[in-house]
Amino acid sequence: MRIVKVSLGDRSYEIKIQTGLLSRLGSECLRLNLGKKCAVISDVNVKSHFANPALESLRQAGFEPVLLTIPAGETAKGLKTVQRCYDELAAHRLERKSFIVALGGGVVGDLAGFVAATYLRGIPFVQVPTTLLAQVDSSVGGKVGVNLKAGKNLVGAFYQPRLVLCDLATLETLPLREYRSGLAEVIKYGIIYDRVLFGRLEKTLDKLLARDPQLLTSVIARCCEIKAEVVGADETESSLRAILNFGHTIGHGLEAISRYGKYLHGEAISIGQVAAAKLSEELAGLPADESKRIGALFERAGLPTSAHLTKAMRRKLHDAMQLDKKVSGGNVKFVLAQSIGKVQYGQKVPADPLERVLENL
Amino acid sequence: MRIVKVSLGDRSYEIKIQTGLLSRLGSECLRLNLGKKCAVISDVNVKSHFANPALESLRQAGFEPVLLTIPAGETAKGLKTVQRCYDELAAHRLERKSFIVALGGGVVGDLAGFVAATYLRGIPFVQVPTTLLAQVDSSVGGKVGVNLKAGKNLVGAFYQPRLVLCDLATLETLPLREYRSGLAEVIKYGIIYDRVLFGRLEKTLDKLLARDPQLLTSVIARCCEIKAEVVGADETESSLRAILNFGHTIGHGLEAISRYGKYLHGEAISIGQVAAAKLSEELAGLPADESKRIGALFERAGLPTSAHLTKAMRRKLHDAMQLDKKVSGGNVKFVLAQSIGKVQYGQKVPADPLERVLENL
């Protein structure tokens, strides 16, 4: 088992990575000094695969779990679903020491985490991410929240889980498209923080696409280490943490204008990262060959790297980016790369090059 | 001007108390290093009295305020209203450095605070409480939240304001019933923490009911001092802060079973405190004459001290109390008084005496 520690004072916690961890969910929770009652929040898809083993493991450890099922997909990640969860938690009489287990991908983790952060002003929660994207990104770091019509993740909190359990076995049933979507975040860590990781991904991509368990364990652990380091230095994104948003400003915008229906998150940020690399060539001195390597790796991973936007769609995209949480004084801020492994955050991007890149997306 | 400091490390803030402070809202906000855009959240009643001076003061200081109006009353304090506020904030493009001004009573402060705590994962907010109850209690200490059908304040966060401005002039237009409701929290501070304050209230109640500005300033300041001391010692209510809930377990239950329609909060906790005093006689050694003094003071303040509950209503009340946030392992915990000025929190109350007190409420 690989263990990565997220150091945040009295809110520190561990990320555990291993095949078969789900069956140890109950005993792992026993070590956290929680109440008996808990709610496992999952979506209709994940539930059919993993809800029973999760509930069984919790029961065997003496907990009294109830299962809350939410619809699958990004459209479920809104206040309506949150309201339904609250009402069910109250109906099942969950108390302050009761806890929530988020069993699923990013949508489930973000939403269940927000419910945990706000029900009774906050009860403990445990993340059991079942997608690659959630394991390397959304389950770690305490960003929880839901979408508004106006944009993604516009409502939320910083609220850390008490434990993250990554069971590699849950990735075996993951549809290829979703697995690839997770690789978009994996590649991101290489670009923003670790040139060696990027090179290693170039070399081992085929094995990674074949979901080799040993390689996956070490790659996921490295991604979590990077995220833990960044979040430990800047929990609430007043500075360094912003680098995690590389490719996300345009990516989130694309998701918003397509109403979260067309692209998976990883697909949108794949396009966004390739666009950010192009901006970086022009504005941050990213060498053209490194920008090409970035585009090539996303393509080899089977991810989209371009989108053909009409003028009307580009206008919508600009509007959506204005609502990005990174906007300050009306200026959209970008993360730009100087080289693979080294980025700068908080970069103002003039309208001209941005429009040029979007035209040629 | 009286200034009370709430000491919470980098989340410390000041409560300022004076007649006429509303006209200085803008200049006071200027000192907080906030963005230009802000949203004043108020209800339809308060708005007609104070929204214009608030907006004017903010504009004069160079801010760009928008006004969000919510319905008046406890029934507005739910997720539907929260959703509407989010959508308006997004439509007005409020950013992370933008801020929210909560202008109104407890409902407005709790709801606007929750919106501030969660919009973009948290933006700054300033409390301008316009009721006695909000000035001495709900605007201070960072408890923000909304109600569920199942109970009051079941959803929320601990999120501190950046500043609290108590303008005594706003109390002049307060309906008598609401003013009296605020006195229920004032009296509470005497019971839980300050025997001298309680004695002073007994002596000066008539002057206080006449809203004497000098007396009000010093009484409000003393209540805020007590709250600041308690919250400074235990922000998230893991221990001492629980004493602030004296009378609230039964009080919240009464509000819930009457669907927040019959009682004002102060009225419900007046009944709740008298009931808690009776329980305290039996279980915590509160002398009978002190229990009488407690009941007498609430009565002189024009507050209800009894409720006639049918058996069916008592059963509902028990159920509602089971949903109280202070419940642990299924046990409702009470704050009980040993004497006026001295209470114990986390007290288990057996079913028998509780039922007896409720029968004779």
Side-chain angles (χ1 to χ4, degrees):
Chain A
M1 180 161 61
R2 287 286 299 266
I3 298 180
V4 177
K5 178 140 185 164
V6 184
S7 297
L8 289 164
D10 57 359
R11 282 165 295 111
S12 298
Y13 55 96
E14 291 180 335
I15 307 160
K16 299 189 171 180
I17 306 157
Q18 196 181 30
T19 300
L21 266 183
L22 187 60
S23 63
R24 280 174 43 195
L25 172 60
S27 54
E28 290 289 344
C29 288
L30 266 186
R31 306 160 63 145
L32 299 174
N33 186 27
L34 305 165
K36 272 193 187 301
K37 282 192 186 175
C38 59
V40 176
I41 300 185
S42 195
D43 72 27
V44 284
N45 295 341
V46 175
K47 173 190 154 183
S48 62
H49 291 107
F50 307 117
N52 281 337
L55 295 169
E56 192 45 44
S57 172
L58 287 164
R59 274 190 211 107
Q60 274 183 6
F63 294 107
E64 298 165 11
V66 293
L67 178 66
L68 272 58
T69 310
I70 67 171
E74 192 78 33
T75 45
K77 197 174 135 182
L79 279 183
K80 254 191 207 161
T81 313
V82 169
Q83 168 90 64
R84 270 191 37 226
C85 289
Y86 288 147
D87 289 338
E88 290 199 52
L89 296 181
H92 289 295
R93 300 270 189 275
L94 263 77
E95 307 169 354
R96 276 191 178 159
K97 289 202 85 181
S98 309
F99 62 103
I100 287 175
V101 176
L103 177 69
V107 167
V108 166
D110 286 5
L111 181 131
F114 183 68
V115 169
T118 50
Y119 180 70
L120 305 186
R121 294 201 185 89
I123 66 174
F125 88 114
V126 170
Q127 290 269 24
V128 185
T130 60
T131 66
L132 180 57
L133 192 136
Q135 291 187 353
V136 297
D137 183 41
S138 58
S139 71
V140 177
K143 277 196 183 182
V144 296
V146 295
N147 305 327
L148 293 181
K149 270 187 208 129
K152 236 187 123 163
N153 296 326
L154 291 186
V155 166
F158 292 97
Y159 194 72
Q160 302 295 337
R162 299 286 301 274
L163 174 71
V164 182
L165 291 186
C166 299
D167 182 349
L168 298 179
T170 62
L171 301 186
E172 286 165 20
T173 52
L174 197 64
L176 180 59
R177 189 179 165 199
E178 287 210 37
Y179 183 80
R180 284 175 163 159
S181 175
L183 289 176
E185 294 281 3
V186 171
I187 295 170
K188 184 193 78 180
Y189 287 108
I191 301 172
I192 63 169
Y193 208 81
D194 188 343
R195 195 177 174 84
V196 175
L197 172 65
F198 190 90
R200 200 173 151 215
L201 294 173
E202 289 182 311
K203 271 190 216 105
T204 60
L205 191 71
D206 296 338
K207 220 170 155 187
L208 201 57
L209 281 167
R211 309 188 197 188
D212 178 90
Q214 244 182 317
L215 180 62
L216 257 178
T217 304
S218 91
V219 165
I220 291 173
R222 180 63 193 136
C223 293
C224 288
E225 265 172 23
I226 294 172
K227 180 135 191 193
E229 220 170 293
V230 170
V231 169
D234 172 28
E235 184 180 6
T236 56
E237 196 169 318
S238 43
S239 54
L240 180 70
R241 185 166 181 164
I243 67 171
L244 298 172
N245 297 317
F246 182 74
H248 279 56
T249 305
I250 292 173
H252 278 165
L254 284 173
E255 287 178 271
I257 66 168
S258 60
R259 302 212 158 251
Y260 310 111
K262 185 170 176 186
Y263 298 110
L264 294 179
H265 177 65
E267 294 168 347
I269 64 155
S270 172
I271 299 169
Q273 288 181 81
V274 173
K278 284 178 188 157
L279 281 171
S280 301
E281 279 185 66
E282 200 164 331
L283 300 166
L286 179 72
D289 69 306
E290 300 211 349
S291 178
K292 250 187 212 153
R293 279 173 65 194
I294 289 173
L297 190 54
F298 284 111
E299 259 181 40
R300 277 181 59 207
L303 286 159
T305 55
S306 64
H308 300 289
L309 301 177
T310 62
K311 203 170 174 183
M313 285 158 82
R314 291 203 299 278
R315 200 170 308 128
K316 270 193 183 173
L317 184 59
H318 277 291
D319 284 350
M321 287 192 292
Q322 282 295 329
L323 258 178
D324 192 278
K325 290 187 296 302
K326 274 96 50 199
V327 167
S328 172
N331 289 306
V332 187
K333 300 286 180 64
F334 278 80
V335 183
L336 297 178
Q338 294 171 267
S339 61
I340 290 171
K342 194 166 181 201
V343 293
Q344 308 157 314
Y345 58 87
Q347 302 297 304
K348 275 188 211 170
V349 166
D352 275 7
L354 179 58
E355 178 58 17
R356 219 158 32 236
V357 163
L358 295 184
E359 263 176 22
N360 299 310
L361 209 58
Chain B
M1 180 160 62
R2 287 287 300 266
I3 298 180
V4 176
K5 179 138 186 166
V6 184
S7 297
L8 289 164
D10 57 358
R11 283 165 295 111
S12 298
Y13 56 96
E14 292 181 334
I15 307 160
K16 299 188 172 180
I17 306 158
Q18 196 181 31
T19 300
L21 266 183
L22 187 61
S23 63
R24 280 172 45 193
L25 172 60
S27 54
E28 290 289 344
C29 288
L30 267 185
R31 306 158 65 146
L32 300 174
N33 186 28
L34 305 164
K36 272 192 186 303
K37 281 192 187 175
C38 59
V40 175
I41 300 185
S42 195
D43 71 28
V44 285
N45 294 340
V46 175
K47 173 190 155 183
S48 62
H49 290 108
F50 307 117
N52 282 337
L55 295 168
E56 192 46 42
S57 173
L58 287 164
R59 276 190 210 107
Q60 274 183 6
F63 293 108
E64 297 165 11
V66 292
L67 178 66
L68 273 59
T69 310
I70 67 170
E74 193 78 33
T75 45
K77 197 174 137 183
L79 279 183
K80 255 190 205 162
T81 313
V82 168
Q83 169 91 63
R84 272 192 37 226
C85 289
Y86 288 147
D87 289 338
E88 290 199 51
L89 296 180
H92 289 295
R93 300 271 190 275
L94 263 76
E95 307 169 354
R96 275 190 179 160
K97 288 203 83 181
S98 309
F99 62 102
I100 286 175
V101 175
L103 176 68
V107 167
V108 167
D110 287 4
L111 181 131
F114 182 69
V115 169
T118 49
Y119 180 70
L120 306 185
R121 295 201 186 90
I123 65 174
F125 88 114
V126 170
Q127 290 269 24
V128 185
T130 60
T131 65
L132 180 57
L133 192 137
Q135 292 187 353
V136 298
D137 182 42
S138 58
S139 71
V140 177
K143 277 196 182 178
V144 297
V146 294
N147 305 326
L148 294 180
K149 270 187 209 129
K152 238 189 121 162
N153 296 325
L154 290 185
V155 167
F158 291 97
Y159 193 72
Q160 301 296 336
R162 299 286 299 274
L163 173 71
V164 182
L165 291 186
C166 298
D167 182 348
L168 297 180
T170 61
L171 302 186
E172 287 165 19
T173 52
L174 197 62
L176 180 59
R177 188 179 165 199
E178 288 210 35
Y179 183 78
R180 284 175 162 157
S181 174
L183 288 177
E185 294 282 4
V186 171
I187 295 169
K188 184 193 77 180
Y189 287 107
I191 300 171
I192 63 169
Y193 208 78
D194 188 344
R195 194 176 174 86
V196 174
L197 173 65
F198 190 89
R200 201 173 150 213
L201 294 173
E202 289 183 310
K203 271 193 215 105
T204 61
L205 191 72
D206 296 339
K207 221 171 154 185
L208 201 59
L209 281 167
R211 310 188 197 188
D212 177 90
Q214 245 182 316
L215 180 63
L216 257 178
T217 304
S218 89
V219 165
I220 291 172
R222 181 62 193 137
C223 293
C224 288
E225 266 172 24
I226 294 172
K227 180 136 190 192
E229 220 169 294
V230 170
V231 169
D234 172 29
E235 184 180 5
T236 56
E237 196 168 320
S238 42
S239 53
L240 181 69
R241 185 168 181 161
I243 67 170
L244 298 172
N245 296 317
F246 182 73
H248 280 57
T249 306
I250 292 174
H252 278 164
L254 284 173
E255 288 179 271
I257 65 168
S258 59
R259 300 213 158 250
Y260 310 112
K262 184 170 177 188
Y263 298 109
L264 294 179
H265 177 64
E267 294 169 345
I269 63 154
S270 172
I271 299 169
Q273 288 180 80
V274 173
K278 283 177 189 157
L279 281 172
S280 301
E281 278 184 66
E282 200 164 331
L283 301 166
L286 178 70
D289 68 306
E290 300 210 349
S291 178
K292 251 186 210 154
R293 279 172 65 193
I294 289 172
L297 191 54
F298 283 112
E299 258 181 39
R300 277 182 60 208
L303 286 159
T305 54
S306 64
H308 299 289
L309 302 177
T310 61
K311 202 169 174 184
M313 285 157 83
R314 291 203 299 277
R315 199 171 307 127
K316 270 191 181 173
L317 184 60
H318 278 292
D319 284 350
M321 287 193 292
Q322 282 295 329
L323 258 176
D324 192 278
K325 291 188 294 303
K326 274 92 55 194
V327 167
S328 172
N331 288 306
V332 187
K333 298 287 178 67
F334 279 80
V335 184
L336 298 177
Q338 293 172 266
S339 60
I340 290 171
K342 195 166 180 202
V343 293
Q344 309 157 314
Y345 57 86
Q347 302 298 304
K348 275 189 210 168
V349 166
D352 275 5
L354 179 58
E355 179 58 17
R356 220 158 31 237
V357 163
L358 295 183
E359 263 176 23
N360 299 308
L361 210 57

